Amino acid sequence: MTTQTTTPTLVHTREELAAALAVQDVQAVPRTEGHAGTAHTARPYRRAVVMTMGALHAGHLSLVSRARELADAVVVTIFVNPLQFSPSEDLSRYPRDLHRDLALLSGPGLLGPDDIVFAPGPSVVYPDGDPIVRVSAGSIGDVLEGVSRPGHLDGVLTVVLKLLHLTRPEVALFGAKDAQQLAAVRRMVRDLDVPVTVVGAPIVRDEDGIALSSRNAYLSDDERRRALGLSRALRARGSADEIRAGARLALKQTDVDYVALVDPVTFAEVPTDFAGEALLLVAATVGTTRLIDNAVVQVGA
């Protein structure tokens, strides 16, 4: 008796990716036009992409599961992008375990043999070395993460645009934990007329409330306990000033990078007298590990 494999197709080069995408295109579910001119199919999209840097966890897998629901075929990219790391950051330390990642992606309800994992090296993504022409995040990249990690969002958008071109999806899924990144990607897609729909997925948290992150693996037991201050900070309520003060108090056992209460679209700080929905973002270092978290809050409630 032959057991059918559920392992996705692993490719490393542009040529291998193009060949695997061609197979997906041939196997795509035909679209038929309905009475109102809309496509009738079990899933609204032919191909979805989920971009990762590997070291996968349940948060990544929730994105893949959602992509599986939305599209006939899925591409997961695994690429540690050097453009989004500054010289002082942990590019060489970033965890890499492709064998483990493939095993996780082959789990129930995730990837099958008709899906693709694209795991290129830097020379494949940047064949001419560091690109001369890059995408600028503009004003969204000048605040918060842009101040703490200059050029970070420019590097993210540059690789996201390249991977969108290479994988040719109709829908791309990103986690909401990197809220500023998600907003920047949405703005890039809108401003540059990129033909893809961007879907944001909710933050996935561990049982103790900490947002799942590949960098959590760096935390000692004591550091993990102190890192819970980030999720506690998001419970602050009251006026804008009270929320900011309450969040900082919850982070007292960490090295606070920023506490920001911003407009969810522009990322401009809301004024003291603001009332309504805003995005509360926190970033802090625990030990040597920098972590971020965020939540939508009602200001003045």
Side-chain angles (χ1 to χ4, degrees):
M1 180 177 178
T2 302
T3 302
Q4 185 177 8
T5 179
T6 59
T7 304
T9 299
L10 175 64
V11 299
H12 298 284
T13 69
R14 291 173 178 240
E15 293 76 17
E16 291 172 343
L17 175 62
L21 291 175
V23 172
Q24 281 190 345
D25 290 339
V26 170
Q27 296 173 341
V29 175
R31 262 48 180 177
T32 57
E33 295 301 316
H35 296 298
T38 57
H40 287 272
T41 180
R43 299 183 177 98
Y45 301 101
R46 285 191 174 91
R47 181 181 294 123
V49 67
V50 176
M51 300 181 189
T52 81
M53 294 206 300
L56 302 183
H57 51 65
H60 296 113
L61 300 184
S62 71
L63 289 173
V64 177
S65 179
R66 180 60 178 149
R68 171 86 290 142
E69 296 171 354
L70 290 174
D72 302 327
V74 179
V75 179
V76 174
T77 67
I78 297 177
F79 176 60
V80 182
N81 177 33
L83 293 191
Q84 63 194 73
F85 287 78
S86 72
S88 63
E89 289 184 315
D90 54 355
L91 174 60
S92 62
R93 288 182 61 213
Y94 200 87
R96 297 166 173 84
D97 191 339
L98 182 58
H99 180 75
R100 172 185 173 276
D101 290 341
L102 287 173
L104 289 174
L105 290 169
S106 303
L110 298 173
L111 301 188
D114 296 331
D115 300 310
I116 300 169
V117 173
F118 180 41
S123 64
V124 172
V125 178
Y126 306 115
D128 299 315
D130 285 353
I132 297 173
V133 177
R134 307 187 186 198
V135 180
S136 170
S139 60
I140 293 179
D142 293 337
V143 298
L144 304 178
E145 291 299 293
V147 174
S148 300
R149 307 172 70 188
H152 167 71
L153 282 174
D154 294 351
V156 169
L157 294 185
T158 298
V159 77
V160 165
L161 186 59
K162 287 177 72 70
L163 290 173
L164 288 174
H165 287 317
L166 289 170
T167 60
R168 298 186 280 110
E170 292 177 313
V171 61
L173 293 91
F174 295 87
K177 185 173 75 70
D178 292 327
Q180 191 175 359
Q181 171 182 292
L182 175 57
V185 170
R186 281 181 166 146
R187 190 69 197 216
M188 176 187 72
V189 164
R190 176 182 174 183
D191 287 353
L192 301 185
D193 296 313
V194 183
V196 69
T197 298
V198 176
V199 173
I203 297 172
V204 177
R205 298 184 180 277
D206 218 330
E207 292 181 357
D208 57 7
I210 195 168
L212 295 186
S213 169
S214 301
R215 288 187 169 90
N216 291 350
Y218 301 151
L219 299 170
S220 67
D221 290 344
D222 176 64
E223 289 168 346
R224 171 106 186 182
R225 179 186 59 77
R226 289 189 282 135
L228 294 176
L230 277 82
S231 56
R232 284 197 298 268
L234 303 178
R235 302 172 195 164
R237 295 295 182 266
S239 68
D241 286 347
E242 288 170 338
I243 289 174
R244 292 181 179 108
R248 285 193 173 276
L249 182 62
L251 292 167
K252 63 183 179 181
Q253 291 187 306
T254 71
D255 182 7
V256 179
D257 186 346
Y258 59 74
V259 170
L261 194 61
V262 305
D263 178 285
V265 176
T266 66
F267 275 70
E269 284 278 352
V270 302
T272 298
D273 59 353
F274 176 84
E277 190 173 272
L279 188 62
L280 175 60
L281 302 105
V282 296
T285 299
V286 183
T288 60
T289 305
R290 186 177 182 274
L291 301 171
I292 61 174
D293 207 342
N294 71 85
V296 175
V297 297
Q298 289 294 327
V299 183

